[in-house]
Amino acid sequence: MRHIRVIGIGAGDPDHLTLQAVKAIARTDVFLVLGKTGERQELVRLRHRMLEEHGRPGHRVVEVPDAERDRTAPGYPAAVEDWRRRRADVIERLLAEQVGPEETAAFLVWGDPSLYDSVIAVLDDVRARADATAFTYDVIPGISSVSALAARHRTTLTRVGRPVQITTGRRLAEGGLPEGVDDVVVMLDGDAAFAGIDPEGVEIHYGAYLGTDDEILVSGPLVETAEHIRALRADARARKGWIMDTYLLRR
């Protein structure tokens, strides 16, 4: 039976690979890559560098176009569900055509596969389908951007007796900081939602391109730093064509 590994590869630093991930890469026959349109080439090179350093001799890399998500659809959950279904179609075909019955394949996932990534849900969808692509799979955790952010700012995500909440830029823009939670990590923020909330009494620990040569780190009172971060963010996105960032808001 085919076996699939979902391997977390960290937030951008090649040294973010855990020993478990390194060993898993060395035991994998074929790496399945879902290529995105206009994918940032430095991230593509980083992924290949990891395979060159840790992959077994003779491993294969199979890259196919990923399913595109309709970002203009009015219903966000429905759009995501449709995207995942079409992504499952792609993966089902990949497993049937590119992975032998006794081979091990892997998906390399940025950060931690269990945090805001769809590969696990999509594999569960594929497993529920026909027996033609029957397989087992396991998940190897990685260093998430959330962990990297806290470490780079030399802070912790929680304080004594207080919870931390992880949310998205979309949710922050819709409702602001949630009631009863003083520590909020924000991910997947496409529009600098931090600049649209009441900044009084709020600190921010911000990080972009964590673990890379282009890393940006800013921290301080939100009322003093919001416009500076937004300007840095806009400049970096214009220069590089993309941005990956996350931040901790703390009352």
Side-chain angles (χ1 to χ4, degrees):
M1 182 178 289
R2 302 170 180 85
H3 184 69
I4 310 300
R5 295 190 171 103
V6 183
I7 304 174
I9 60 174
D13 185 339
D15 290 341
H16 281 175
L17 280 180
T18 65
L19 289 176
Q20 186 182 21
V22 168
K23 292 176 182 179
I25 289 173
R27 295 195 299 264
T28 296
D29 301 303
V30 54
F31 296 90
L32 306 176
V33 179
L34 302 179
K36 300 182 187 303
T37 302
E39 186 173 12
R40 26 284 194 194
Q41 288 305 303
E42 58 251 69
L43 296 184
V44 174
R45 288 193 295 269
L46 176 60
R47 188 161 47 203
H48 282 286
R49 175 180 164 187
M50 291 176 178
L51 295 183
E52 288 169 4
E53 288 189 28
H54 305 296
R56 66 164 54 166
H59 72 263
R60 309 193 311 279
V61 178
V62 178
E63 184 168 355
V64 299
D66 197 358
E68 293 288 337
R69 179 159 67 87
D70 183 2
R71 299 182 181 274
T72 64
Y76 178 72
V80 170
E81 185 62 30
D82 173 70
W83 171 62
R84 287 185 174 182
R85 178 186 53 75
R86 289 184 291 107
R87 207 176 202 209
D89 293 341
V90 172
I91 289 178
E92 182 179 30
R93 187 167 60 252
L94 261 181
L95 297 182
E97 297 176 357
Q98 301 293 340
V99 184
E102 302 300 323
E103 286 191 311
T104 296
F107 293 94
L108 303 181
V109 176
W110 296 109
D112 189 323
S114 65
L115 185 60
Y116 285 126
D117 187 82
S118 69
V119 172
I120 294 173
V122 169
L123 286 176
D124 285 338
D125 185 353
V126 176
R127 288 187 76 193
R129 299 183 180 188
D131 292 336
T133 57
F135 62 90
T136 59
Y137 80 92
D138 58 14
V139 178
I140 296 169
I143 294 176
S144 69
S145 61
V146 176
S147 297
L149 175 77
R152 294 295 288 130
H153 281 289
R154 300 187 301 276
T155 190
T156 57
L157 297 174
T158 60
R159 291 177 284 177
V160 176
R162 304 188 193 186
V164 63
Q165 180 169 319
I166 300 177
T167 190
T168 64
R170 180 189 297 267
R171 295 297 298 270
L172 182 69
E174 290 174 350
L177 285 175
E179 290 294 328
V181 182
D182 294 331
D183 300 281
V184 178
V185 174
V186 183
M187 304 180 70
L188 305 178
D189 184 357
D191 298 306
F194 58 84
I197 66 171
D198 181 359
E200 290 300 325
V202 178
E203 291 188 347
I204 185 169
H205 296 286
Y206 175 88
Y209 311 112
L210 290 163
T212 74
D213 293 338
D214 296 308
E215 183 177 79
I216 299 171
L217 295 173
V218 180
S219 64
L222 185 59
V223 70
E224 298 174 8
T225 58
E227 288 307 314
H228 176 56
I229 294 172
R230 186 154 68 169
L232 285 174
R233 192 176 188 274
D235 177 72
R237 173 178 260 169
R239 176 167 41 86
K240 293 175 66 65
W242 60 279
I243 192 163
M244 289 199 308
D245 58 358
T246 188
Y247 50 91
L248 168 67
L249 296 174
R250 173 159 283 164
R251 283 192 179 99

